[in-house]
Structure formats: structure tokens, C-alpha cells
Amino acid sequence: MDLWFGELHTDNVKLSIRVEQQVFHGESEFQHIDVFDSPEFGRFLTSDGSVIFSEKDEFTYDEMIVHVPMAVHPNVCRVLVLGGGDGGVARELSQYDEIEVIDVVEPDKLFVDVCCKYFPDNACGLRDSRVRIFYEDGLKFLRTKSDDYDLIINDCTDPLGHAAGLFTKEFYGSCFKALHEDGIMVYQHGSPFYDEDEETCRAMHKRAYRSFPISRVYQAHIPTCPAGYWLFGFASKKYHPLKDFNAARWNARHIKTWYYSTHLHRGAFMLPRYVEELLEEEENG
Amino acid sequence: MDLWFGELHTDNVKLSIRVEQQVFHGESEFQHIDVFDSPEFGRFLTSDGSVIFSEKDEFTYDEMIVHVPMAVHPNVCRVLVLGGGDGGVARELSQYDEIEVIDVVEPDKLFVDVCCKYFPDNACGLRDSRVRIFYEDGLKFLRTKSDDYDLIINDCTDPLGHAAGLFTKEFYGSCFKALHEDGIMVYQHGSPFYDEDEETCRAMHKRAYRSFPISRVYQAHIPTCPAGYWLFGFASKKYHPLKDFNAARWNARHIKTWYYSTHLHRGAFMLPRYVEELLEEEENG
């Protein structure tokens, strides 16, 4: 059998993954969800035809969105994860003993159920006793919170689709309000390479830069993302991602990683010139 | 018209690029060469069905293989480029006034002729008066050289194909001999993500590490490469790529770049943990 899953990264570029079998298809009020087994990326999940994560490369994303802020903030007790229904972010967070609460706000119960059934290595993170799952809209949840969290992780994947409310100006303001006075927010910043993604990337940085005293961008290489290149935003009230980064403290934890290291932490903030320039244009514009 | 160029990055992953038209097809004793126009990557060239470079992303590769060693070595006068028949590497080198000789050794005259005709923005580099083109086998050329160059750039693309002789143990020894006592060699190190590429990557590092006192690896994000991720090797007799890196001196040159910066230079050597570990295994194995 010659079966391929294909995803248009733009109208003019397509990544195709050979598939052994489709193991799930379902539809919620939010999205179509499909799960496939593949020889190259293992099992992977798609939402409305876009790869959300695969067994083979999810570690990069989950490690980079969790360990970067955790190696900067000196004492994270309360964490809010927006999206994150697959459990990968909660799994990485669960390695930190000082965390007391991990609130996961995922509007789509089907997404959680599918991940629990088909991706136990991610979903195990949701079984940690500190995790509370709220099947709610992230923005509505946020509006009720004030001075409540040390870290907010925006794990929503789709800035122009059903999660678009999580990338508005109001959203960044609500996050600011929901954080403690030394809180940090990290979020997916998209891929800056293709022209059609560049505008989203610019708009996100502009909003974060105007909402938080400190706003920096860092990068990772994720093969199933458009152009294989993904950015993350680090928006913070007090701590700088490099000046307040404590490598010795993080290394003393002996957390096993495949992508993140304290050496890589610094390098992840050293961006290609064309990315630096487009971010600076939004800062000055 | 719905016309796509597809390249299998492994047997199980394919990158497809929408094509407006094919503008060239030819065959030499070394390879099949095709040139296409595309809306996303502009004009691109393939060799035996693999993308060698595109107008949209060649800058990353050419800048990273040239400016990294040039920002480390304090006085490069004589440069040898193995492969490099498209002229992109020579174009970047031509911005350094202190360089006196740029020897380009490209076995395939058809490749040079096609690039001159279809990629003038790259091939302009070959018109610099310091460039000498030798239509010869790279390894045979190298064998005749001793204590002759400050910098060798191995711009050959295909470690398992017709350029395989340029990745053998003899090759690294010949480069060592051809370099001055403080010479540097940089080379393509492949993509470490997919299992089938990992072995090549390991073998290259093993050879370079055993042939040169200093051997480090650095990275770049190149969308048309397998998994969008590419490594370069930095093998050196005397200068360390970070300890002997002089950012102020390089910045004083005011060379316009799109990817490289002296900030990025440092970050490019900070690798994901799984890459660091596979390199260390070859160093200790």
C-alpha cells in the first residue's frame, strides 16, 4: 500500500509523510482530529489536516516551551497551560517538585480523550495529581484570573483558526493580569520563513512587546513544522531569559532531555539576522 | 497547471515544491541537472533529483559556510573551494579584500555553465578576478597540494554519490596537508534528524575529529534540506571557532548578510542535546 498524508505548508510547498494506517478519525465542535501511524514519525495527530505533534519530534516542542522558562524563574508554584490537552507540556512540568498546581484549560474534550487513548506517553502528564483539567474556553477562563500564576504556557497551535482568540491584544493583557508580579508567559510564535507566516509572527511580537516589560523570541528546529523552523515567545514582567537564567540550578535537577540543554538555552535566543530584523521592525514600528 | 517537484528526504518523507516551469534539463558524466522556477523558492537547481540550492534559501548556506571561518581566522589569503561551481561561496568570499586567491575545483563544467546562465546572482562570484576555476576531480587536485591554503571549503553536496571521494579518511588527511599550519577546513555535515542520515553524520565527525586538533560542528536552518536542519563541520589546526572568534573585527567589515550575524555565530555552535550526544559518542568511541 502506498498511502501518504500531505500537508500544504503554504499553497506552494507540501510535506508528505508515508502512512501505515489511519487509527482514528473524529470530529468535535472545534476541529477534525485524525491519528495516523507512520514509519518515519511514529504515531502523529492532525487537526483539520495540520500535524499537531508526532511521537518522533514532540520532545523538541514540549521541552523548549517548558524548560526555557523553568530555568529562568526561580520559584514556579502555579502554572496555567492554555491548550495542552495532549499532556506533553504537563508531562515536562511534572518533573519539577516545587510546582503545586498545573491548570490545563482545553476547550475540546475529544482532543484530550483521543490523546489519552492513542498517545499514553504524552497523556501520562495529565495524570499527575497536581493537574486540573478545565474543559473551557481559554480566554474566558483567563478573564476570571488575577495575580494567580507564576507561569502561563500558551500551548495553542493555531493562531488563525479556532484558537484565534488566544492571540489577540486582549489575550496578552489578560495574561499579564493573571500573572504574579514576577510572572512569565511563553507562547508559540510560529514559523517566520514563508511570507504568509511572517505577518502572523510580526503581529504576535508587536502585541507581546507592548504588553510586557521583557519580550524576547527563541527558536527550535521541528521537522514537521512549516520550513522545519519554529519560534517561541518569552514575555515576562521581571525575569530576563538570559540575564536571569540559572544554568547551574537547572542542571542540578538532573532532568533527562533530548533537545534542551542549558548550553542550547543560550543559543536558542541567538536568531538569524532576518528574524532579528523583522522583530526589531515591530519593536520600533 | 498543477506541477510539483517532489524529493524523498527519506523513503517515508517527501518535500514537494510547486513548479511554474522547468527551464533546463541536461546530463553530464557526473549528474542529471534540472532547473525549475517556483513561486515559493524562486528558481532552484536539482542534481539527480535532489535540491542543491534555491534562490530563496541559498543565502543561509553560503553565508554560514563562509562567514563562520572568516570571522575566526585572522588573515585568510588563499582559499580552496571544492565543488562550489554555482558561485555562491565565491560571491561571499569576494567581499573580503585580504583574500588573494580563490581556487574553485569543480569537476562538472556543465554545472558551472548552467549556473552562469540561470543563476547570475550566484555565478557573479565566479567572475571575481581572484577566482580560478579548475575543472578537475577535487581529491586528485588536493593530492598535489601541500601547505598551500589558509581555508578549505568543501562545498560538495552529496557524500554518498559522485562526490563520495570527498568524504573519505584520505580526503581529511589530504586537506590537513594542503592547509597552512593555522589552516581551517569547513564542510557540509549533513542533517542529523532522520535515522538514515545519522550514520553519515557520525562517520564524518569521526574522521574530522581524528584528523584535526580542533573539530566542532555548527548548525543552520535551511528549509529545502532534509528535516530543514543542516550541520556544518569546522576542522582546524590552531583556531577554535569560539575562543578565537573576533566579532568586533568581523562587524567592522560591514558585510551585508541575511542569516549570519556575530550573535548567531555563537548560537550556531550550541546544539540540541541529541546532536551533542551523537557527536560525543564518535569522539569517545
Side-chain angles (χ1 to χ4, degrees), chain B residues 81 89 103 119 210 231 249:
Chain B
V81 183
V89 165
D103 286 345
F119 297 92
R210 278 157 180 67
L231 298 183
R249 188 182 63 214

Side-chain angles (χ1 to χ4, degrees), chain B residues 6 14 61 69 76 80 96 104 109 125 161 189 207 225 231 265:
Chain B
K14 184 165 73 169
Y61 171 80
V76 173
L80 171 61
Y96 294 85
V104 174
K109 187 167 185 306
H189 211 294
R207 285 177 193 135
C225 288
L231 298 183
H265 181 116

